[in-house]
Amino acid sequence: AHVVQVVEVADAPLGVFLVLDYVEGDALSGLLNSARAQGEHIPRRIAGRILSDALIGLHAAHELVDDAGKPLNLVHRDFSPHNIMVGTDGLSRLTDFGIAKAAGENATTTGVLKGKVGYMAPEYALGKEPDRRADIWSAGVVLWELLSGARLFKVKNDVAALIKLVSQAPARIEDVVPDVPSAVAALWASS
């Protein structure tokens, strides 16, 4: 229920295309941009529900098995507000598995990073093979952004973001959002 379903995969003269379930609503990125434009934040309880739903979808992807029951070890590699659809039905769904990668798959060219740099795990940015922990890092960045109302690294381009990502620890959320619950702040302390 928390993953946008693929209805059909087809081949056309211009290439392969996917038909996905239609989700009436907006991407979380659109909601964040609207809130920022009005000088507001998405209320914490709503933000928590949105992220919780998306994490249920992410967990389902991580636990996916093949027909023989063997884990696929799928990694989304682009868990970001752009790929979390918030439906008018109150459910949030993870979408865009277009760059997801299963363990052992060789679909990515060596040295090519896939995903949005601002949500990328440092280990992945350094060239290590991503696993589900890279997606969990990305979820933490989304949570940080939901709580603070700002991007984790305020930079002008992806190169600057990569440099900060691999050379600097992120700001502690309680330093940016002093009234954040201690249990939420503890999430960063344990990473």
Side-chain angles (χ1 to χ4, degrees):
H2 298 289
V3 173
V4 175
Q5 299 297 311
V6 176
V7 177
E8 181 181 355
V9 179
D11 196 3
L14 295 176
V16 176
F17 67 91
L18 302 173
V19 178
L20 305 173
D21 273 342
Y22 174 73
V23 177
E24 187 172 348
D26 198 356
L28 178 56
S29 58
L31 298 177
L32 283 166
N33 288 337
S34 293
R36 283 186 196 122
Q38 297 174 19
E40 299 287 334
H41 292 276
I42 295 173
R44 286 184 183 170
R45 292 183 71 119
I46 294 171
R49 175 60 189 261
I50 291 168
L51 186 57
S52 177
D53 283 357
L55 287 170
I56 291 169
L58 183 63
H59 181 69
H62 286 166
E63 295 298 312
L64 199 61
V65 296
D66 66 14
D67 292 337
K70 179 182 174 193
L72 292 176
N73 297 316
L74 191 70
V75 181
H76 188 280
R77 298 195 302 171
D78 198 14
F79 188 95
S80 67
H82 308 82
N83 293 327
I84 298 172
M85 293 298 302
V86 182
T88 58
D89 60 0
L91 292 178
S92 298
R93 298 163 181 87
L94 185 57
T95 190
D96 197 0
F97 284 82
I99 64 168
K101 184 174 179 181
E105 208 178 70
N106 291 320
T108 303
T109 306
T110 302
V112 175
L113 294 173
K114 300 284 185 168
K116 293 170 194 69
V117 172
Y119 301 92
M120 194 173 287
E123 297 82 4
Y124 181 45
L126 288 169
K128 295 182 180 169
E129 188 67 23
D131 59 27
R132 68 173 58 197
R133 294 173 296 181
D135 288 339
I136 301 302
W137 167 274
S138 300
V141 175
V142 172
L143 176 59
W144 199 98
E145 188 170 331
L146 284 167
L147 291 171
S148 70
R151 297 296 302 266
L152 180 60
F153 294 117
K154 296 174 190 85
V155 293
K156 294 184 182 202
N157 58 53
D158 284 350
V159 173
L162 278 171
I163 291 169
K164 276 193 166 192
L165 177 66
V166 300
S167 65
Q168 293 181 8
R172 294 165 27 128
I173 192 66
E174 63 267 28
D175 292 341
V176 178
V177 184
D179 67 334
V180 72
S182 58
V184 174
L187 293 171
W188 279 271
S190 64
S191 61

